[in-house]
Amino acid sequence: MELLQLEYFQTVARLQHMTKAAEELQIAQPSLSKTISRLEEDLGVPLFDRTGRQIRLNAYGEAFLARVQRAFVELNEGKREIRDLARLNEDIVTLAVSTPRILPGLLGAFLASHPDVRFRQFFESAPEMKRQIENGEVDFCISSAAIEGIDIEWRPLLTEEIFLIVPSNHPLAVRESIRLAEVKDEPFISMNAGYEFRELTDRLCREAGFVPHIHFAGDEPDVIAGLVQQGLGVAFVPALTWLEWPRRASHRLRIEEPACQRQLGIAWSERRYFSTAAERFRVFAFAYFRDVAKRLVREFG
DNA sequence: TGACGACCTGCAGTTGTGCA
DNA sequence: TGCACAACTGCAGGTCGTCA
């Protein structure tokens, strides 16, 4: 049984006239007649009652026609769905990040020149991002920890300095820089455990010879900044985050020792096929962070 | 092992014609 | 006039052998 036979059957059933159906289908009448006969042979029953020169759909034909029409509706829906899906995937970039704070600037700048592109974004830990890349669930991962694995490419995007912020009335607020060990007894306001940034700052404190006293841990950098302004403690802040805070009632200190930096990078699977939109986003991301790096140099030297 | 061409087969379609 | 059959043509797809 073939689609062509079913298509011809629909037309003959609708017109109940072999010659008119053949004209509509733009084929010779004997060809149509033979096609319908083959279909009837396949099914093992006649679909039409033939009386003299007339053909009429019989009970088998009626029942079969209903099924055929439903099948064609399903097939047409399927075609449309696949078409939409194909077009949609062309315009969608899937992205997992461990540092969501970079997204507004990055995506905003990209969408300004590519308004038709849509993003699906996930906030994930580094191990989960690696799994997503390996399973083909995302196009790219942007992370402050290198993602390594078979067929995974990881490239650095930006190296940014990490500062310490203290309340403006804090004794250290008159200084430009400190050694991290100088604040070993200070109350710290920090990101919650599990965040890459928290793991990084804990490691930096260990390198300086102490374990920080965490008085408050949260998910929101803005809340952390607010608590520092209220005089409740000191906190680490990446250069880019500091730059984007509209009000800076707290004081920023450069950390001389140990070297406090973090590197943001982008990872993808070398096996993955990239849509045009994804390919453009990758190129754009490198250019965007080059500009950000220049801005950080201008601002912080 | 994959690419390519020659050959074969099956089927859709056409023309001509017979039958009701 | 309209349906169906026979003979034929053209084309697409499959198979097989050859070659790099």
Side-chain angles (χ1 to χ4, degrees), chain A residues 95 97 99-114 119 121 142 158 240-241 243-244 264 281 284-289 291-292 295:
Chain A
L95 191 62
V97 295
T99 50
R101 198 163 183 90
I102 59 155
L103 284 180
L106 173 63
L107 301 193
F110 181 77
L111 289 171
S113 51
H114 302 84
F119 281 87
Q121 182 255 314
I142 296 179
L158 177 76
L240 200 54
T241 306
L243 211 57
E244 286 167 357
L264 292 179
F281 176 75
F284 181 88
F286 284 106
Y288 173 83
F289 281 103
D291 288 345
V292 170
R295 193 174 153 215

Side-chain angles (χ1 to χ4, degrees), chain A residues 155-259:
Chain A
R155 300 266 183 86
L157 288 170
L158 177 76
T159 301
E160 65 174 335
E161 192 170 353
I162 295 170
F163 298 112
L164 192 81
I165 54 170
V166 299
S168 47
N169 59 354
H170 193 279
L172 290 172
V174 296
R175 302 262 298 272
E176 285 298 312
S177 62
I178 57 161
R179 285 179 296 107
L180 191 54
E182 292 180 64
V183 291
K184 65 182 171 59
D185 297 322
E186 295 285 338
F188 272 80
I189 297 164
S190 173
M191 295 295 286
N192 276 322
Y195 284 89
E196 279 178 9
F197 188 66
R198 167 67 183 273
E199 288 168 16
L200 173 64
T201 55
D202 282 357
R203 184 168 54 76
L204 292 170
C205 290
R206 281 198 302 275
E207 280 179 35
F210 70 96
V211 175
H213 306 294
I214 307 295
H215 279 215
F216 177 86
D219 291 328
E220 291 295 325
D222 289 340
V223 173
I224 292 170
L227 293 172
V228 172
Q229 285 170 20
Q230 296 299 316
L232 299 176
V234 301
F236 289 102
V237 60
L240 200 54
T241 306
W242 169 262
L243 211 57
E244 286 167 357
W245 276 339
R247 287 187 306 242
R248 299 171 194 165
S250 49
H251 181 76
R252 170 179 63 83
L253 291 165
R254 175 160 277 161
I255 301 168
E256 292 171 352
E257 188 189 329

Side-chain angles (χ1 to χ4, degrees), chain A residues 271-286:
Chain A
R271 285 176 301 170
R272 188 174 177 85
Y273 162 78
F274 288 110
S275 66
T276 307
E279 199 63 66
R280 284 180 182 161
F281 176 75
R282 178 165 55 181
V283 172
F284 181 88
F286 284 106

Side-chain angles (χ1 to χ4, degrees), chain A residues 7-68:
Chain A
E7 196 182 329
Y8 287 5
F9 165 67
Q10 272 194 307
T11 306
V12 176
R14 175 164 49 85
L15 298 173
Q16 313 258 343
H17 197 286
M18 205 63 97
T19 303
K20 287 178 184 169
E23 281 170 14
E24 185 172 309
L25 292 165
Q26 296 185 305
I27 59 169
Q29 170 269 318
S31 175
L32 179 60
S33 181
K34 204 159 61 175
T35 302
I36 296 299
S37 295
R38 268 200 311 277
L39 179 60
E40 290 176 321
E41 206 173 307
D42 277 354
L43 293 168
V45 293
L47 296 169
F48 296 92
D49 288 334
R50 292 159 171 85
T51 46
R53 291 176 183 175
Q54 285 194 331
I55 56 165
R56 284 284 173 270
L57 205 60
N58 62 23
Y60 297 125
E62 295 274 4
F64 190 59
L65 179 63
R67 297 278 181 184
V68 169

